[in-house]
């Protein structure tokens, strides 16, 4: 995203003659390939969110034939996990996520099936500065959850991204 500050005043003088501004507006630019969309807001955070929401809406309306991964539309909210007593989420809440050689991709798959959301792994073509593979785990929740992972292989990066996603799901399930 790119940032630009826009100074606005309600007066009739041209901007070159403005001395005091009534308020400032931030503008964030969101780029995806050749698509460029902007969002405005009274703060950087609000402008960035507005730009991301516009881009997300545009991506959701793309035809199915594009090569951009899309999430199924869902109304699943992570907050609903707090009251869930199903097996996989209960195990996640009770057990640590620091056990070596755990297949977190399998664990995330089982949890997502139990809870009714989908997980999509998106490989990032660019290696990290340390030469590791990168991956995003995208959960079809509302709002969408995206977690990053790295590893010495593509599979390790998937496992790390799934581990990050499970940590986030566990946090959301335990938070009151």
């Amino acid at each position: 995203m790119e940032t630009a500050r826009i100074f606005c005043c309600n007066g009739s003088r041209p901007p070159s003659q403005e001395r005091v501004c009534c308020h400032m507006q931030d503008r964030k630019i969101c780029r995806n390939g050749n698509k460029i969309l902007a969002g405005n807001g009274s703060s950087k955070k609000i402008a960035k969110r507005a730009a991301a929401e516009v881009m997300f809406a545009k991506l959701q309306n793309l035809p199915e034939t594009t090569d951009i991964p899309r999430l199924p539309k869902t109304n699943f909210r992570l907050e609903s996990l707090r009251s869930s007593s199903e097996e996989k989420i209960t195990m996640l809440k009770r057990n640590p996520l620091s056990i070596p050689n755990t297949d977190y991709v399998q664990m995330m798959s089982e949890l997502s099936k139990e809870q009714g959301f989908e997980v999509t792994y998106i490989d990032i073509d660019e290696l990290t500065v340390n030469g590791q593979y990168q991956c995003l785990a995208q959960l079809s929740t509302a709002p969408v959850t995206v977690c990053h992972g790295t590893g010495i292989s593509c599979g390790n990066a998937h496992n790390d991204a799934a581990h990050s996603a499970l940590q986030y799901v566990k946090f959301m399930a335990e938070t009151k």
Side-chain angles (χ1 to χ4, degrees), residues 106-123:
Q106 180 63 33
M107 190 184 293
M108 177 54 86
S109 174
E110 292 170 0
L111 178 67
S112 68
K113 285 178 184 152
E114 176 187 84
Q115 296 298 320
F117 62 91
E118 291 186 26
V119 182
T120 304
Y121 294 96
I122 303 165
D123 295 320

Side-chain angles (χ1 to χ4, degrees), residues 4-16:
R5 279 198 141 354
I6 300 171
F7 296 93
C8 304
C9 284
N10 296 331
S12 58
R13 288 189 279 175
S16 61

Side-chain angles (χ1 to χ4, degrees), residues 81 84 86-93 111 114-115 173:
L81 295 175
S84 178
E86 294 183 50
E87 177 189 2
K88 301 297 179 188
I89 192 64
T90 302
M91 296 270 299
L92 181 64
K93 289 178 187 178
L111 178 67
E114 176 187 84
Q115 296 298 320

Side-chain angles (χ1 to χ4, degrees), residues 47-60:
K48 186 176 182 180
R49 184 175 188 92
E53 286 174 354
V54 170
M55 180 62 79
F56 183 73
K58 292 282 187 191
L59 290 174
Q60 289 295 343

Side-chain angles (χ1 to χ4, degrees), residues 4 8 16-17 19 22 25 40 56 59 63 71 75 77 96 98 101 103-104 119 125 133 142 159 176:
C8 304
S16 61
Q17 296 177 3
R19 296 189 186 230
C22 305
Q25 253 194 353
N40 297 316
F56 183 73
L59 290 174
L71 286 177
N75 291 329
R77 301 198 67 81
S98 56
N101 301 320
D103 187 351
Y104 293 115
V119 182
D125 293 334
Y133 291 87
N159 205 49
K176 303 274 188 247

